[in-house]
Amino acid sequence: MPVTLNSLLDAKIYDLEQPRYAGAPILLSHAPGFVYTLHRHHEPETGSTRTSASGTIYTTEHSGTHIDALCHQAENLQIYGERDITPGLQTSKGFSELGVETIEPLLARAVLLDVAAKRGVDYITGEPLITGDELQATAAGQGVTIQEGDVVLVRTGNGALWHNPERYLQAGGMAGSASQWLSEQRIRAVGADNVAWDVMDVVDPDLQMTLPGHAILLVRHGIYILENLFLEDLAKEHIYEFVFVCLPLKMQGVTGSPVRPIALASRG
């Protein structure tokens, strides 16, 4: 059946972006995160009844809700496609290949795996990490299947803690086996409601590295990662299958992009 304007207008929209503001949760490596200042103000006595205000945004590309480009991570000094890190690839102005501008608009079937609900907790912190077996069990319990080309979003419940940075940054995340299993499903992208998909500073016993999912997904399989998602509304309404829309900014050579992803689901 062809997509019609009415079918799109009838869909319910779920906003999956967290608000951006100074002081929002951010890893130290990406601090200060987000800063906005007004440099033009509405003021009296300008000689006109019309006045203007505008400002300046300073933000790191990996702050807030964002998507990782394939140049963001390397393994043995190679990025996706066994591209060696060279001065021609990695320049002072960004990457000559696989920058965020090469990510096409994401329009895909998506699945939410609500692991927090599966565990019976409000939010997941620390150990145990979320494994591939747990993702499979969650999908089976929800009655959903993952198909090639899907986007898979994992709920830890920590999106509800966004305004409490100290607690939010203690969120749990994926074990290497979770990323490995998802990569085997030949999906297009993953995402979670935590700061780094993986858990910071935890060394994977098999790969002997931190952030194993970043190597498995970005470097080895070319699968994009979204972080700092807001998944609470989808979870409350038990929306586990939906249309996912995400439009990265065309910033040439950049390693990631702020995004405002949405989910479209039937009102029925």
Side-chain angles (χ1 to χ4, degrees):
M1 179 182 296
V3 176
T4 66
L5 178 59
N6 286 338
S7 67
L8 290 175
L9 294 177
D10 288 341
K12 183 171 181 178
I13 300 174
Y14 295 83
D15 189 345
L16 308 184
E17 183 188 15
Q18 293 282 13
R20 301 178 190 276
Y21 56 91
I26 188 71
L27 294 176
L28 288 177
S29 57
H30 299 306
F34 181 89
V35 178
Y36 178 73
T37 57
L38 282 174
H39 73 271
R40 298 175 66 207
H41 301 79
H42 296 291
E43 297 177 355
E45 300 178 1
T46 62
S48 172
T49 57
R50 182 193 60 78
T51 58
S52 296
S54 59
T56 300
I57 296 170
Y58 174 87
T59 185
T60 50
E61 71 265 58
H62 297 280
S63 68
T65 306
H66 66 275
I67 190 169
D68 292 346
L70 298 184
C71 63
H72 176 47
Q73 297 286 317
E75 186 177 8
N76 296 319
L77 290 180
Q78 289 185 329
I79 61 174
Y80 177 65
E82 298 184 346
R83 293 168 169 87
D84 292 325
I85 299 294
T86 65
L89 176 66
Q90 180 177 248
T91 78
S92 61
K93 295 183 179 180
F95 283 80
S96 60
E97 296 183 61
L98 300 183
V100 76
E101 80 281 6
T102 64
I103 304 177
E104 295 184 359
L106 291 169
L107 174 61
R109 175 183 181 267
V111 169
L112 173 68
L113 299 181
D114 193 346
V115 179
K118 179 71 166 57
R119 290 190 183 182
V121 298
D122 291 333
Y123 47 86
I124 296 170
T125 58
E127 302 285 352
L129 302 182
I130 298 168
T131 65
D133 288 343
E134 190 169 17
L135 292 183
Q136 293 181 67
T138 302
Q142 294 176 183
V144 298
T145 58
I146 296 173
Q147 304 169 11
E148 182 175 346
D150 281 354
V151 172
V152 177
L153 309 182
V154 180
R155 177 178 176 265
T156 70
N158 286 277
L161 302 177
W162 181 250
H163 293 288
N164 187 332
E166 182 177 357
R167 292 179 67 189
Y168 180 83
L169 293 173
Q170 297 173 7
M174 311 310 136
S177 65
S179 296
Q180 183 59 44
W181 178 72
L182 287 170
S183 71
E184 293 167 359
Q185 311 313 306
R186 302 176 65 85
I187 59 176
R188 191 171 178 190
V190 302
D193 54 350
N194 65 3
V195 73
W197 176 256
D198 302 287
V199 176
M200 298 297 297
D201 302 324
V202 175
V203 177
D204 182 79
D206 296 322
L207 298 184
Q208 290 298 304
M209 67 171 67
T210 58
L211 303 182
H214 282 64
I216 294 168
L217 296 166
L218 294 172
V219 182
R220 297 184 182 184
H221 295 280
I223 296 171
Y224 302 110
I225 301 174
L226 292 116
E227 294 159 339
N228 297 320
L229 293 170
F230 179 74
L231 304 174
E232 295 305 292
D233 292 340
L234 287 173
K236 286 176 185 176
E237 300 185 22
H238 306 288
I239 305 297
Y240 301 133
E241 298 179 69
F242 46 91
V243 174
F244 180 81
V245 182
C246 178
L247 307 175
L249 301 178
K250 287 187 176 181
M251 300 184 292
Q252 191 165 328
V254 176
T255 69
S257 171
V259 289
R260 187 174 189 177
I262 61 171
L264 300 174
S266 171
R267 293 182 182 272

